[in-house]
Amino acid sequence: MKGSQKNSTNKGENTNKTEEKPQQAKSQHVTDDIHTNIEQIKQNIGHNTDVIFRSFQLGTTKLKAAIVYVDGLVDKDLIQDQILKSMIYDLSSIYSEEQLSDHDHLKDWVNNNVISVSDVKEEKSFDNVITSILTGSTALLIDNINTIFILGTTSYKTRSIEEPITESLVRGPREGFNESLADNRALLRRGLPDPALTMLEYEMGVRSKKKLLLVYMEGITNPDLLMIVKKRLEKFDLDLALESGYIEQFIQDDHFSLFPQVQSTERPDRVIAALTEGRVAILLDGTPFALIAPVTFSMMLQSPEDYYERWIPGSLIRLLRYFAAFITVFVPSIYVSFISFHQGLIPTKLAISIAATREGVPFPSLIEALLMETAIEVLREAGLRLPRPVGQTVGLVGGLVVGEAAVKAGIVSPIMVIIVAITAISSFAIPQYSAGIALRMLRFGAMICAGIWGLYGVILFFLLLAIHMCKLKSFGVPYISPAAPYRLRDWKDFIFRFPLLIMKKRPQMMRTLDDKRQKGNS
Amino acid sequence: MFQLLKIFLVCCSLFIISGCWDSKDIEELAMEVGAALDKTNAPISSLDQGYRKKNIIKMTLQNISPKSSPQSDKGGQQQKYENVTGSGDSILEIFREISLKKDVPPYGAHLKILVIGEKLVKEKNLQILLALFDRTFEVRDSCIILIAKGSAAQTLKLATDVPAFTLVGIEKNRYRSVKMLPAIRLGKVMSNMADHANFIIQSTSTKKRKVKFNGGAIIKGNTNRLIGFLNEDEVAGLNFITGEIKGGIITGRDPKTHGLISYEISSVKSKIIPHLDGEHISFDVNIESEGRLNEEHVHAGNAFANKFLKRAEMAIKKEVEHLVHQSLNKLQKKYQIDVAGFNEQMRIQFPKEWLQLEKDWDKRFSQAPIKSHVSITIRDYMIKGKKEISD
């Protein structure tokens, strides 16, 4: 990343102050002559038809000026009403010749008295000018002034704030992030109007030049964690950052682990909750998915709804998700090992009926299980990519018709269909899509182990998994904490969600600077 | 790189050389649910030519094989089970011989019931007979053991869905009858025999494909052979002595009207109190029972009347005392064997003296006077009758 860390927009100020360091030694500087300047810009981006050059004269003077912008990225009304109009008409009524002759004075005067646009920057490097134009700003060039005004006129069509599709809740805010960083930032600010909420801006992608925000709570987030995140964000060099998934893959700890080590979410409330727990969030322009780091495995099985519901139903539903996660990974493998190794462990009458239903099935149970699980993964993928009405048909046809036909044809046993259906449904009960994928992949490993070694293999697989998860860390936080390392205080919000009343402190594993969540008498 | 390749090869070999040999899909097993052992004198069949054996034991295995499963669409009365018979000199030999006749191997983890023929247990040591079932890891210790009067194989040919399950089901009815012994399972039988203890096993009789649990088969310790049976009433009496009763009824006769009185047992507590006076041994057996008056043919009018209840209690008490006496009589006089746990109480109360008594305990027991004290309380008269205001 050729990142330049800009300002920290705290204390509620909107305008950006430039603390720009000259970066590119090669880049040419703006000259006094407007024609040279325009030529310079034209050389770079002038061949594009969407780049508009508009020359005019300042008021009634002979002083030449021009604006350059990209059509479609700017707010044309703003340019016409607040820039062109004030430069051409309003200026003439109040200007004096001597003011115009003094170039420095003219610059300040234009800045202070003429342009009624809130976001104004002065730029001397052409590279930055061109970047700004391409991201929707308008460049204002005036003859005899050796800087170019960059006016924040960016305005493009964005999606309105809608309900997040991948993380819908029964109870909870219906707002989700959209593709506009400004909107997303505003959502966070609105949810947490606290001066401690700090947003650092980075630029991502040498070519895509996406804005990236590193959000944290000053005075809560541990500085060591912040340093790790900053270091990782600055370390890599990326051409293109289309989605926060790009960033996630560069900053994660273990590239070979199946488990997501950064949480992605569409929900502002989730991000805000994470921030107040001492985590950091990363927002990228152009994607509704914010990243939260560090994460633990238990977070993958949590939903914001756990906290919005009263604590007993919240806890039980969370417990249910742990069961669902277990079912997703282990039920097919346990079934396979029971059927082909440990028939004695099945209750007699069930064993008899299973044996009866498997009669005539030509494949060993492992092959049968792999076949069906693969089939359901294919169906899921197919249903996901198709337009919604067709997708549902695929699910229906696949699940019901093919399933029943396969049973009737004697290729698979009905019990296997039940097992596959249960695992598929359980995997959808996991609130994090990426965690669900991880567990679904692990299921295949477990099944193969079960097919080779039986229940012993399943246990071996479980041990391997446990070893891997114990080893895994997300930004310095152990992945399965608070189970290991054992931190009793954090168990209040682990498998069960205890009443908010007794969750008086922030998670211990985050080592926050400010421990107290409730200023109670504790 | 070479190191990695080595590890990879080792991993690959794991796939090839391990584990899978144990894999056997469930439908490729013949699940045994019941087994019967009988003495036989079957002549060597023409199939067994060139095979030196005497055919002492006949084993019948009740298999549920998927081929005769309830799921088949053929309709009609298709048998859900299949009985496979083999004979030979040792149990394992018979098992292996069955493999010469059947395509799928028998699988013993679901063996629920093992019936042994009367003649076989009289002749052969039970410990030796059951050794294979005990040694193999497949058969569970929870497998129920029964002794069949007559042929054990007949017990597995009942006219029910799966005879083995029927037998297990009957065993669960102990809460409804006093005439059934607590189920004795393979693990318990083996531990009793290792203890050289006497014990009693539920016995069954089969006639015309119908079974009844009637009485108990007494196995003498050390020899581990069957020495005789108790009939149903004697089993009831024995159950009262041991207190192993979960429910059931006792029928007595009203001394005044000679009408029938049925008493449904809710609970029975019994305590055996041993007394030792020098060489002289005696016992008191205290039996306390509570229950309900469910049916009476007396027409006393008011079942709530205390006088009637007293009478009823007396009648039941007499009946229980009679049962207890009867079974003690049989045990002491006829078989001269202690299967009711008197020895255990003696050992607990007089541990030092027990060392001397232990040797010829059965003989001493058979001469010991035993007094029984029965107390019956009728707690509940169901809804018949009305409250009596004054006695």
Side-chain angles (χ1 to χ4, degrees):
Chain A
M1 185 203 96
K2 288 269 166 63
S4 58
Q5 180 187 322
K6 286 175 189 164
N7 66 338
S8 50
T9 59
N10 51 354
K11 317 290 182 201
E13 270 180 54
N14 270 338
T15 49
N16 287 347
K17 288 176 223 146
T18 26
E19 300 165 14
E20 197 69 12
K21 284 166 257 168
Q23 301 244 347
Q24 286 136 319
K26 280 192 287 180
S27 86
Q28 281 178 297
H29 284 281
V30 180
T31 58
D32 281 352
D33 182 23
I34 187 168
H35 294 291
T36 333
N37 289 343
I38 289 177
E39 270 315 303
Q40 188 69 39
I41 296 174
K42 268 193 179 156
Q43 250 176 37
N44 277 304
I45 52 173
H47 53 277
N48 295 307
T49 48
D50 58 341
V51 182
I52 312 286
F53 294 86
R54 168 80 165 83
S55 299
F56 54 92
Q57 286 184 341
L58 271 185
T60 52
T61 61
K62 290 272 150 44
L63 212 53
K64 275 195 175 163
I67 54 170
V68 186
Y69 62 89
V70 177
D71 195 20
L73 287 182
V74 295
D75 184 352
K76 272 196 173 167
D77 292 340
L78 187 76
I79 292 177
Q80 279 158 15
D81 293 348
Q82 310 300 336
I83 302 170
L84 282 180
K85 203 170 154 230
S86 50
M87 296 293 267
I88 296 173
Y89 295 112
D90 303 353
L91 190 70
S92 50
S93 56
I94 41 176
Y95 82 100
S96 65
E97 277 294 338
E98 66 184 84
Q99 278 169 338
L100 288 181
S101 57
D102 180 355
H103 297 154
D104 279 345
H105 198 267
L106 174 69
K107 191 168 84 182
D108 287 343
W109 197 71
V110 166
N111 195 355
N112 295 335
N113 300 27
V114 182
I115 306 165
S116 45
V117 173
S118 62
D119 190 4
V120 179
K121 273 190 292 184
E122 289 174 34
E123 200 59 76
K124 292 198 179 200
S125 142
F126 271 114
D127 277 353
N128 291 337
V129 169
I130 284 159
T131 307
S132 302
I133 292 171
L134 290 179
T135 52
S137 298
T138 302
L140 170 64
L141 299 86
I142 299 171
D143 206 6
N144 297 334
I145 296 178
N146 65 344
T147 57
I148 294 176
F149 291 103
I150 301 296
L151 313 175
T153 53
T154 313
S155 161
Y156 45 86
K157 295 276 190 308
T158 58
R159 209 153 52 92
S160 59
I161 291 171
E162 286 163 17
E163 190 179 349
I165 297 167
T166 56
E167 292 165 275
S168 53
L169 294 185
V170 175
R171 180 173 180 176
R174 298 259 187 267
E175 285 176 339
F177 287 133
N178 63 11
E179 282 78 8
S180 153
L181 187 66
D183 286 356
N184 295 348
R185 176 159 47 181
L187 280 173
L188 288 188
R189 275 265 178 244
R190 217 177 62 200
L192 206 64
D194 186 53
L197 179 66
T198 313
M199 299 179 182
L200 298 183
E201 196 174 301
Y202 289 83
E203 204 178 69
M204 264 307 137
V206 178
R207 289 191 189 280
S208 67
K209 296 200 173 68
K210 284 269 173 76
K211 273 186 195 164
L212 177 141
L213 286 185
L214 173 62
V215 191
Y216 63 96
M217 295 290 282
E218 187 82 57
I220 292 178
T221 310
N222 189 302
D224 293 341
L225 166 67
L226 210 58
M227 225 169 65
I228 298 176
V229 179
K230 280 184 189 167
K231 217 186 252 171
R232 289 192 189 169
L233 277 178
E234 281 157 15
K235 206 169 62 185
F236 58 89
D237 186 3
L238 197 60
D239 199 16
L240 180 73
L242 276 181
E243 215 274 341
S244 53
Y246 280 60
I247 314 295
E248 176 182 344
Q249 288 169 59
F250 276 99
I251 61 173
Q252 67 186 357
D253 289 66
D254 187 344
H255 298 276
F256 292 101
S257 176
L258 288 177
F259 293 100
Q261 295 136 60
V262 177
Q263 189 175 31
S264 63
T265 180
E266 277 189 89
R267 302 194 64 91
D269 51 339
R270 199 166 201 157
V271 171
I272 289 166
L275 288 175
T276 52
E277 278 184 345
R279 300 177 208 275
V280 301
I282 292 167
L283 273 69
L284 186 72
D285 193 21
T287 173
F289 287 95
L291 303 178
I292 296 172
V295 293
T296 58
F297 181 69
S298 65
M299 276 175 76
M300 298 296 164
L301 299 174
Q302 291 172 5
S303 160
E305 215 167 350
D306 297 354
Y307 303 91
Y308 304 154
E309 272 296 342
R310 282 149 58 252
W311 76 277
I312 296 173
S315 293
L316 291 178
I317 289 169
R318 187 178 282 184
L319 193 67
L320 205 63
R321 282 194 217 108
Y322 277 89
F323 277 122
F326 181 82
I327 288 171
T328 308
V329 183
F330 288 111
V331 160
S333 49
I334 288 173
Y335 175 75
V336 167
S337 51
F338 275 11
I339 294 305
S340 29
F341 291 89
H342 318 281
Q343 298 88 354
L345 291 177
I346 316 170
T348 305
K349 293 202 170 154
L350 181 62
I352 290 166
S353 64
I354 290 177
T357 56
R358 274 192 58 81
E359 178 57 28
V361 173
F363 304 115
S365 56
L366 173 66
I367 304 293
E368 192 192 358
L370 286 176
L371 207 73
M372 284 307 281
E373 292 288 359
T374 314
I376 202 131
E377 287 299 306
V378 171
L379 278 174
R380 188 191 56 77
E381 186 64 20
L384 210 65
R385 303 286 166 235
L386 285 171
R388 203 170 258 189
V390 188
Q392 280 171 355
T393 320
V394 167
L396 210 70
V397 169
L400 293 175
V401 180
V402 175
E404 185 163 347
V407 169
K408 280 243 172 89
I411 298 170
V412 293
S413 64
I415 297 204
M416 182 52 87
V417 175
I418 296 173
I419 298 281
V420 168
I422 287 174
T423 44
I425 289 167
S426 298
S427 74
F428 298 138
I430 294 161
Q432 281 284 308
Y433 180 72
S434 49
I437 294 182
L439 296 182
R440 278 207 294 273
M441 283 186 284
L442 288 170
R443 177 169 72 200
F444 286 90
M447 270 191 290
I448 290 168
C449 282
I452 298 168
W453 298 290
L455 216 48
Y456 169 68
V458 179
I459 291 163
L460 279 187
F461 182 80
F462 179 78
L463 289 178
L464 272 178
L465 200 63
I467 290 169
H468 171 69
M469 286 173 82
C470 284
K471 200 201 89 187
L472 195 61
K473 279 185 173 185
S474 164
F475 294 85
V477 174
Y479 201 57
I480 52 170
S481 60
Y486 185 72
R487 286 200 182 92
L488 193 61
R489 201 175 97 190
D490 293 353
W491 276 67
K492 285 177 198 163
D493 188 13
F494 181 39
I495 295 168
F496 288 100
R497 201 273 290 171
F498 282 84
L500 291 175
L501 200 66
I502 65 165
M503 281 161 53
K504 289 198 158 102
K505 289 185 169 177
R506 300 184 204 284
Q508 198 177 8
M509 61 184 141
M510 295 310 304
R511 300 203 170 123
T512 48
L513 298 179
D514 174 20
D515 233 10
K516 274 185 192 156
R517 203 178 275 196
Q518 295 166 22
K519 307 289 178 203
N521 43 6
S522 72
Chain B
M1 192 58 215
F2 189 65
Q3 202 72 22
L4 264 175
L5 192 72
K6 254 194 216 167
I7 294 170
F8 178 72
L9 283 177
V10 167
C11 288
C12 282
S13 70
L14 280 178
F15 277 85
I16 302 158
I17 63 173
S18 74
C20 289
W21 62 63
D22 277 337
S23 172
K24 194 94 196 167
D25 274 342
I26 193 164
E27 74 275 14
E28 288 160 14
L29 299 170
M31 270 181 277
E32 308 162 17
V33 289
L37 299 175
D38 274 308
K39 179 182 150 64
T40 180
N41 294 311
I44 310 281
S45 108
S46 59
L47 284 172
D48 293 343
Q49 276 172 356
Y51 189 7
R52 281 167 294 131
K53 62 174 182 178
K54 288 180 195 152
N55 275 355
I56 300 166
I57 305 167
K58 182 179 101 178
M59 183 168 74
T60 308
L61 286 178
Q62 184 145 81
N63 290 340
I64 306 255
S65 61
K67 271 152 200 142
S68 53
S69 65
Q71 293 288 317
S72 52
D73 291 332
K74 282 177 189 166
Q77 282 293 77
Q78 211 199 357
Q79 246 186 357
K80 290 181 181 174
Y81 63 91
E82 181 188 27
N83 282 355
V84 183
T85 311
S87 43
D89 299 349
S90 75
I91 310 265
L92 187 59
E93 187 188 339
I94 303 169
F95 265 113
R96 293 303 149 94
E97 210 193 308
I98 286 174
S99 290
L100 297 177
K101 300 173 181 168
K102 286 283 162 187
D103 56 344
V104 286
Y107 184 66
H110 289 288
L111 188 64
K112 296 284 170 205
I113 211 136
L114 182 58
V115 191
I116 305 166
E118 170 190 9
K119 278 184 192 158
L120 191 64
V121 203
K122 271 185 179 153
E123 212 167 85
K124 289 214 95 179
N125 187 336
L126 190 61
Q127 198 167 17
I128 294 167
L129 275 178
L130 295 182
L132 176 81
F133 295 99
D134 189 45
R135 280 179 175 178
T136 175
F137 59 88
E138 263 186 20
V139 178
R140 303 287 161 90
D141 272 4
S142 60
C143 171
I144 295 167
I145 309 285
L146 295 174
I147 303 285
K149 290 178 185 163
S151 156
Q154 288 304 314
T155 325
L156 295 182
K157 288 173 188 162
L158 303 178
T160 56
D161 243 10
V162 181
F165 291 166
T166 310
L167 294 174
V168 174
I170 295 174
E171 192 279 319
K172 283 178 183 154
N173 285 342
R174 206 158 67 80
Y175 74 102
R176 296 177 71 86
S177 172
V178 290
K179 293 172 182 175
M180 205 188 285
L181 286 161
I184 190 158
R185 292 163 194 277
L186 181 60
K188 186 66 186 163
V189 169
M190 294 317 283
S191 79
N192 277 340
M193 288 189 296
D195 252 4
H196 306 295
N198 309 318
F199 57 98
I200 184 159
I201 302 176
Q202 179 69 50
S203 68
T204 64
S205 299
T206 315
K207 204 174 181 186
K208 287 187 180 170
R209 302 186 72 195
K210 287 194 177 83
V211 76
K212 191 179 181 197
F213 279 34
N214 56 353
I218 299 167
I219 308 285
K220 195 169 170 57
N222 281 328
T223 63
N224 298 327
R225 282 177 173 80
L226 177 74
I227 58 163
F229 290 96
L230 292 185
N231 66 24
E232 287 173 55
D233 277 352
E234 287 153 0
V235 164
L238 180 68
N239 280 342
F240 271 105
I241 296 169
T242 54
E244 292 276 4
I245 290 179
K246 282 182 170 174
I249 60 153
I250 294 291
T251 320
R253 276 190 187 278
D254 180 22
K256 202 166 138 194
T257 59
H258 298 283
L260 274 175
I261 294 169
S262 283
Y263 166 77
E264 191 182 358
I265 299 163
S266 304
S267 75
V268 172
K269 278 180 202 159
S270 89
K271 199 169 168 72
I272 297 170
I273 302 162
H275 303 286
L276 187 66
D277 184 13
E279 283 285 282
H280 184 71
I281 302 164
S282 65
F283 292 96
D284 279 320
V285 182
N286 294 335
I287 299 165
E288 282 173 37
S289 170
E290 286 183 2
R292 292 188 294 229
L293 199 57
N294 255 4
E295 188 184 355
E296 30 96 359
H297 296 190
V298 180
H299 288 293
N302 190 357
F304 280 22
N306 285 342
K307 264 185 201 164
F308 170 68
L309 288 178
K310 283 270 147 38
R311 247 167 46 216
E313 281 174 3
M314 279 305 293
I316 302 300
K317 182 182 164 183
K318 230 170 110 186
E319 181 64 25
V320 173
E321 272 171 353
H322 174 67
L323 287 173
V324 169
H325 180 73
Q326 207 182 346
S327 36
L328 281 176
N329 203 26
K330 188 95 168 247
L331 290 175
Q332 285 185 304
K333 300 288 164 331
K334 189 176 176 192
Y335 296 124
Q336 302 195 340
I337 193 167
D338 171 21
V339 291
F342 288 97
N343 55 348
E344 189 65 10
Q345 292 304 320
M346 197 54 151
R347 186 183 65 80
I348 291 168
Q349 298 292 331
F350 303 101
K352 276 183 196 159
E353 293 83 346
W354 171 250
L355 296 175
Q356 273 90 52
L357 299 174
E358 191 183 6
K359 266 187 194 166
D360 46 356
W361 173 253
D362 282 336
K363 205 175 162 196
R364 281 171 200 270
F365 163 77
S366 62
Q367 286 152 9
I370 300 172
K371 273 189 226 158
S372 62
H373 312 276
V374 183
S375 104
I376 304 287
T377 316
I378 295 176
R379 277 261 179 252
D380 188 350
Y381 344 105
M382 310 310 279
I383 51 167
K384 191 167 169 11
K386 63 184 175 203
K387 176 87 177 157
E388 193 176 60
I389 294 159
S390 64
D391 196 87

